[in-house]
Amino acid sequence: MLLGQVKRHPPDKWIRLKLCHPLVPQRLFKAAQSKLKAKVGQIGTDEYMIQQLRRLLAKHGYLSFRLIGRCPNTASVDSYNRRFGSLRAALDMVPYQRPNRPVQRDVFARRPEVTAARLRDLLRDKGRLNPELIRADPGLPSPE
């Protein structure tokens, strides 16, 4: 029955069939699996996620929502928001200061959880919120 609860079975209980020749040699597959297993513990750490941002910064010389979102070797912007409360908080740990230049308002900021995180950061940094402060932050949608 396909509509029941999903039950996870350990790999040793899986039924495996050889229907075609492997695309990847068994030796290469096992080597890749062992590398992945070695990384599993560090991938989920805060330091590993911040290190990914540092590498991206070293390679490109800047960081942005779009750049982070396009990089396949970096956690998603959503992951940074969930882990650190906001991407800005993660960037502070790199450390990275955004350049002082006019930036178009970020379409990504229209997502409620991102807007809420940015407003929390602004309140924490400035001690208050008002339309002028919100308007001055290019990462927030306009209060109008």
Side-chain angles (χ1 to χ4, degrees):
M1 178 176 183
L2 294 176
L3 300 177
Q5 284 188 336
V6 174
K7 184 176 180 185
R8 304 244 180 240
H9 296 283
D12 62 324
K13 300 283 186 199
W14 295 354
I15 298 172
R16 298 172 191 253
L17 302 173
K18 289 190 177 187
L19 298 177
C20 63
H21 295 289
L23 299 174
V24 177
Q26 186 71 17
R27 192 172 174 189
L28 180 60
F29 178 79
K30 286 185 177 187
Q33 288 296 305
S34 67
K35 281 186 176 182
L36 284 173
K37 285 179 184 175
K39 277 189 166 187
V40 164
Q42 80 181 67
I43 286 175
T45 66
D46 291 356
E47 182 54 38
Y48 183 79
M49 291 179 73
I50 297 302
Q51 190 60 38
Q52 287 178 316
L53 292 175
R54 288 182 184 131
R55 283 191 200 111
L56 197 60
L57 176 60
K59 181 177 181 180
H60 295 278
Y62 74 99
L63 294 171
S64 69
F65 287 93
R66 182 174 288 164
L67 179 63
I68 294 165
R70 284 192 328 231
C71 181
N73 300 322
T74 304
S76 70
V77 173
D78 279 341
S79 295
Y80 286 102
N81 284 327
R82 281 192 303 276
R83 177 67 62 93
F84 300 100
S86 69
L87 180 59
R88 185 173 301 161
L91 294 177
D92 288 344
M93 295 175 74
V94 169
Y96 177 70
Q97 284 295 105
R98 291 187 327 192
N100 291 328
R101 61 186 163 122
V103 180
Q104 290 182 345
R105 294 203 177 267
D106 190 356
V107 174
F108 185 74
R110 294 182 189 161
R111 295 183 56 188
E113 65 274 11
V114 175
T115 300
R118 288 181 177 172
L119 287 170
R120 278 193 300 274
D121 288 347
L122 190 59
L123 178 61
R124 183 193 68 227
D125 295 345
K126 303 292 184 183
R128 66 188 193 293
L129 289 176
N130 61 42
E132 291 77 30
L133 289 172
I134 294 170
R135 231 179 269 111
D137 188 323
L140 287 169
S142 173
E144 279 81 38

